[in-house]
Amino acid sequence: MVAAGVTSALTWGGGRLYRHGAPHRILSGALHYFRVHPELWRDRIRRLADLGLNTVDTYVPWNFHQPREDGPPRFDGWRDLERFIRTVGEEGLDVVVRPGPYICAEWSNGGLPSWLTARDLAIRSSDPAFTSSVGRWFDDLVPRIAALQASEGGPVVAVQIENEFGSYGDDHAYLRWNRQALSERGIRELLFTADGPTELMLDGGTLPGTLTAVTLGSKPDAARRLLADRRPDEPFVVAEFWNGWFDHWGKRHHVRGVDSAVHTLRDIVADGGSVSVYMAHGGTNFGLWAGANDHEGRLEAVVTSYDSDAPIAEDGSLTAKFHAVREALGARGPLRSPARMPTLPPARLPLVHHTDLLAGLRAVPAATTTAPRPASFEQLGLDAGMVLHTAHPRIPAGEHRLVLTDVRDRALVFVDGTPVGVAEPDSPELRVDGTGGVVRLEILVENLGRVNYGPGIGGHKGLLGPVLVDRRIVQGWESAPVALQEWAAEELAAAVATGPGTTRVAGTARTRAGFAVAELHVDTPADTFLALPGSSRGLVWVNGFLLGRYREIGPQVTLYCPAPLLRAGENTVTILDLERLGGELELRDRPELGPPQEYVEEFD
């Protein structure tokens, strides 16, 4: 605990920010430890320092640390938040921590665990059912942050209260609870809120006596005037300056011109303004952690790359925007980091199709449930991945309507092992031909990403409504979770039938979907970019690590594979394609994120 009378490193008054009493300006960059391989943390932190920044800020995703309620939060390996913070300090930078519990960040469920949002409670509110769970999480998390505060000799100089709450709600008792929860668990450094610069958002998300920061992509002068009118004694702090933007599958790759980004940045830091460049280095939505947006009732899933057109690219490359931002911030001295990391030479590797889709999935043991209705992801305790539902209805002779009344998010439908189509929320109906006999109806439901922003946060996944044959409800279902993100080497080996004790006959795959393998020999591990020409949509594992999703609709074409995921010698790349496997895996030495589209986020 901090001794009585000890003040925070950062203070403010008279419209100015001070660090230990001297005028100060936060020049921060967002860098998320959970989106960067731990062996690359220090490299990326040094690149932020080379950019001319004096601070690193990071969110803390609760669901990344505690994906299951029945296990304690983890802070080891990739989840070693304390190691990340200490590494930032060792590189001479301050740290701003944004512990949520909600973080947005285009991260699955906005960082909230799906086992929590599965309950009947009011998230992001003063509902005791919600705050009691957050309190237990904070009991473990916050003392770790507190021990690394500047007042304790560490690099943490500020902690954010919740996150952009004014764009969600107006429960000020909940905000006050968050502030008190941080203070009671030892936070003595600067506390602040962050919201969009509109009257509506600031009314909902700010607290008297607590510094108000804003998040924006443009028009900083208007935001400065608004804050000066509402909070005349406070310094101008932009907690997120969106110098780029994220991408959705099926859309174009968002970019922001260098001149546009630098012009806005100069306006923010003028007259002592503080800023955090979001993102300074975006990294990657590895695994199935990418979030989604709900746009007028239609899900828009975030791509695997979180490059965000940041100054430091997804693979660490120093971009033209990097050099322009560095100049705007007045950084001097030589760069410590190379312009690019080493890459493997381009290559083409054959894909060997091992097992068909359903056969491979059925080969992995799962705790199947049986009930009159299909079990949802939440009922199965499944956060991400897929669920395979099986029923045995009798279908009369002739053509009939098969309707999935509420599917979240996408379903492949099979009758007696034969694909009959894809069902989605806006196209839930398929045609099936009956013979009068009983059929094996299998529905493979895929969670495309949990909504991370707006009132749709916490939405459930799966077959949430009845399945109909014409007007009749299909009853009697087996539901098997396919926990792809939790698969270890044993499950992956079972799916591709390559592990000890498994049997596979070459050439037994009969469909174009399923599991395939490419073997890669590497002399010295280096970065590479994977592409799958001819393949449709699916997942990629590298040496058992789930790299992420690919989809031929783009915009993202290549998946970034950082060097630490490879090893000298033989490496195995496993592909699961849900619809159509191509014949080869490409290794490229450059990323391809899709056709660009200029985008600048603005508030009306």
Side-chain angles (χ1 to χ4, degrees):
M1 295 292 289
V2 179
V6 174
T7 60
S8 61
L10 299 181
T11 56
W12 51 269
R16 296 293 178 186
L17 185 70
Y18 300 91
R19 193 178 195 281
H20 297 307
H24 183 66
R25 185 171 60 183
I26 298 171
L27 299 177
S28 181
L31 169 62
H32 299 157
Y33 62 97
F34 45 93
R35 285 181 160 128
V36 177
H37 194 286
E39 292 184 26
L40 297 174
W41 285 350
R42 190 177 298 274
D43 173 84
R44 302 309 196 249
I45 292 164
R46 286 182 175 175
R47 290 171 188 268
L48 261 69
D50 281 349
L51 187 56
L53 303 176
N54 58 28
T55 305
V56 170
D57 83 66
T58 186
Y59 281 123
V60 181
W62 182 1
N63 55 2
F64 185 64
H65 289 270
Q66 193 178 17
R68 289 191 171 276
E69 184 180 13
D70 57 5
R74 290 180 53 192
F75 291 92
D76 59 333
W78 207 311
R79 296 165 174 81
D80 194 342
L81 172 64
E82 294 149 292
R83 176 192 159 201
F84 176 78
I85 293 174
R86 287 194 297 268
T87 304
V88 176
E90 290 165 4
E91 293 299 321
L93 303 180
D94 289 339
V95 176
V96 173
V97 182
R98 310 171 76 187
Y102 163 77
I103 66 169
C104 185
E106 292 68 59
W107 188 258
S108 175
N109 223 31
L112 296 175
S114 59
W115 53 258
L116 177 67
T117 57
R119 301 176 186 169
D120 183 16
L121 49 73
I123 64 170
R124 303 184 72 190
S125 80
S126 53
D127 180 351
F130 181 69
T131 55
S132 61
S133 293
V134 177
R136 287 189 290 273
W137 160 236
F138 276 8
D139 285 343
D140 205 332
L141 170 66
V142 176
R144 298 172 187 272
I145 300 170
L148 293 168
Q149 294 176 106
S151 53
E152 297 286 349
V156 176
V157 297
V159 177
Q160 183 177 295
I161 299 169
E162 236 271 353
N163 185 56
E164 296 181 318
F165 183 70
S167 61
Y168 180 83
D170 58 6
D171 187 343
H172 292 101
Y174 168 62
L175 282 182
R176 290 191 296 271
W177 179 91
N178 269 270
R179 180 173 61 184
Q180 183 176 351
L182 294 170
S183 297
E184 288 179 343
R185 289 163 176 81
I187 299 300
R188 298 292 180 267
E189 299 299 332
L190 177 70
L191 292 173
F192 67 98
T193 58
D195 288 282
T198 70
E199 297 281 6
L200 179 76
M201 295 179 183
L202 294 176
D203 286 346
T206 59
L207 288 171
T210 298
L211 177 67
T212 297
V214 292
T215 60
L216 53 80
S218 60
K219 303 176 183 176
D221 290 341
R224 193 189 303 264
R225 290 192 297 270
L226 177 61
L227 285 179
D229 182 60
R230 296 174 64 108
R231 303 279 186 128
D233 197 40
E234 296 183 9
F236 183 53
V237 178
V238 176
E240 291 184 14
F241 162 50
W242 305 316
N243 75 117
W245 203 245
F246 57 92
D247 296 337
H248 292 120
W249 292 112
K251 307 292 184 179
R252 295 174 74 88
H253 170 48
H254 291 131
V255 299
R256 181 168 183 179
V258 172
D259 291 344
S260 168
V262 169
H263 176 77
T264 302
L265 177 63
R266 290 185 186 276
D267 287 347
I268 291 171
V269 300
D271 194 29
S274 292
V275 67
S276 180
V277 177
Y278 191 99
M279 297 293 296
H281 171 61
T284 308
N285 295 313
F286 292 113
L288 302 178
W289 290 112
N293 291 97
D294 184 346
H295 180 67
E296 298 178 351
R298 184 175 181 85
L299 191 83
E300 295 184 340
V302 175
V303 303
T304 300
S305 172
Y306 201 61
D307 178 87
S308 304
D309 195 33
I312 303 165
E314 180 179 14
D315 65 334
S317 294
L318 307 183
T319 67
K321 188 177 289 183
F322 172 94
H323 295 288
V325 168
R326 175 179 159 87
E327 180 181 359
L329 297 178
R332 300 291 184 267
L335 297 175
R336 296 181 296 168
S337 304
R340 289 196 74 205
M341 302 290 280
T343 59
L344 296 179
R348 293 174 180 266
L349 305 173
L351 276 181
V352 180
H353 190 172
H354 279 237
T355 48
D356 287 331
L357 174 61
L358 293 181
L361 296 179
R362 292 193 201 107
V364 178
T368 301
T369 65
T370 302
R373 297 183 298 179
S376 70
F377 278 60
E378 289 70 27
Q379 289 168 330
L380 293 168
L382 183 63
D383 175 61
M386 299 181 285
V387 176
L388 180 58
H389 302 281
T390 305
H392 298 86
R394 184 181 298 277
I395 300 181
E399 186 178 273
H400 298 273
R401 297 166 56 243
L402 180 71
V403 184
L404 283 60
T405 59
D406 190 3
V407 56
R408 306 291 167 167
D409 297 306
R410 190 173 188 272
L412 298 175
V413 180
F414 304 82
V415 173
D416 291 332
T418 300
V420 297
V422 176
E424 296 178 294
D426 57 357
S427 55
E429 184 174 320
L430 300 170
R431 296 287 176 178
V432 295
D433 294 319
T435 63
V438 172
V439 302
R440 180 184 179 91
L441 175 62
E442 293 172 290
I443 302 178
L444 182 64
V445 181
E446 183 183 5
N447 168 4
L448 297 178
R450 292 183 181 269
V451 171
N452 56 261
Y453 180 83
I457 301 166
H460 293 190
K461 298 291 186 178
L463 292 178
L464 305 182
V467 176
L468 307 177
V469 174
D470 295 332
R471 70 181 64 190
R472 191 187 74 205
I473 296 175
V474 178
Q475 295 178 306
W477 290 90
E478 293 180 356
S479 300
V482 184
L484 298 166
Q485 190 147 265
E486 301 173 25
W487 279 10
E490 294 77 13
E491 285 84 5
L492 197 58
V496 299
T498 59
T502 62
T503 301
R504 182 181 68 85
V505 179
T508 56
R510 295 176 300 167
T511 72
R512 300 187 67 188
F515 291 86
V517 170
E519 300 294 344
L520 167 64
H521 181 86
V522 172
D523 293 327
T524 302
D527 288 355
T528 190
F529 303 89
L530 306 182
L532 289 154
S535 292
S536 176
R537 55 182 296 140
L539 306 169
V540 177
W541 287 262
V542 175
N543 292 327
F545 176 85
L546 181 52
L547 202 61
R549 288 186 171 96
Y550 67 89
R551 294 178 66 177
E552 66 178 348
I553 62 171
Q556 181 177 0
V557 175
T558 58
L559 293 180
Y560 170 55
C561 176
L565 294 179
L566 299 172
R567 53 184 176 243
E570 298 305 316
N571 296 264
T572 300
V573 180
T574 305
I575 311 297
L576 165 58
D577 197 290
L578 298 173
E579 295 180 8
R580 184 188 66 251
L581 276 163
E584 65 181 12
L585 171 71
E586 288 186 358
L587 275 60
R588 301 186 185 180
D589 60 1
R590 301 276 174 177
E592 184 179 347
L593 298 180
Q597 179 183 47
E598 179 79 9
Y599 184 85
V600 178
E601 179 72 2
E602 295 185 348
F603 287 107
D604 297 328

